[in-house]
Amino acid sequence: MTTTYTALGRQRRIFVPPPAASLPPPAPQDPPIYRDLMQTWADRGRALPGRHDPEWVRLAAPTVTRGQFSEFSDFPAPPRDGR
């Protein structure tokens, strides 16, 4: 940001974008050997970084027993004695 002054002496800050030459270079592409490996894994149905994995979602999902979140349950309710 650059500071400027008005005729009344007040400060103002304005945004001045940096010159294009000072921007970082774009990220390099993956090497061909890595792209080929990713394609081989994808063809075999393997999990890949950054991609949706339905098996992981299934395994990481919480286990819910029947009636755990409702009043109908196979398990007896705890006593309601004010504890």
Side-chain angles (χ1 to χ4, degrees):
M1 287 200 186
T2 304
T3 303
T4 60
Y5 294 92
T6 64
L8 300 174
R10 295 184 195 160
Q11 285 187 343
R12 289 180 123 181
R13 290 188 159 214
I14 58 171
F15 176 74
V16 178
S22 68
L23 296 175
Q29 294 269 334
D30 290 330
I33 191 168
Y34 181 70
R35 285 194 307 261
D36 291 344
L37 179 62
M38 293 277 287
Q39 186 61 50
T40 301
W41 283 354
D43 293 343
R44 293 179 183 171
R46 302 252 176 105
L48 299 171
R51 300 210 184 154
H52 178 72
D53 183 3
E55 185 177 8
W56 172 252
V57 171
R58 181 182 62 80
L59 293 171
T63 304
V64 178
T65 59
R66 183 172 169 235
Q68 184 176 1
F69 296 107
S70 69
E71 59 187 64
F72 303 106
S73 175
D74 293 338
F75 304 105
R80 297 184 183 204
D81 58 2
R83 283 190 232 179

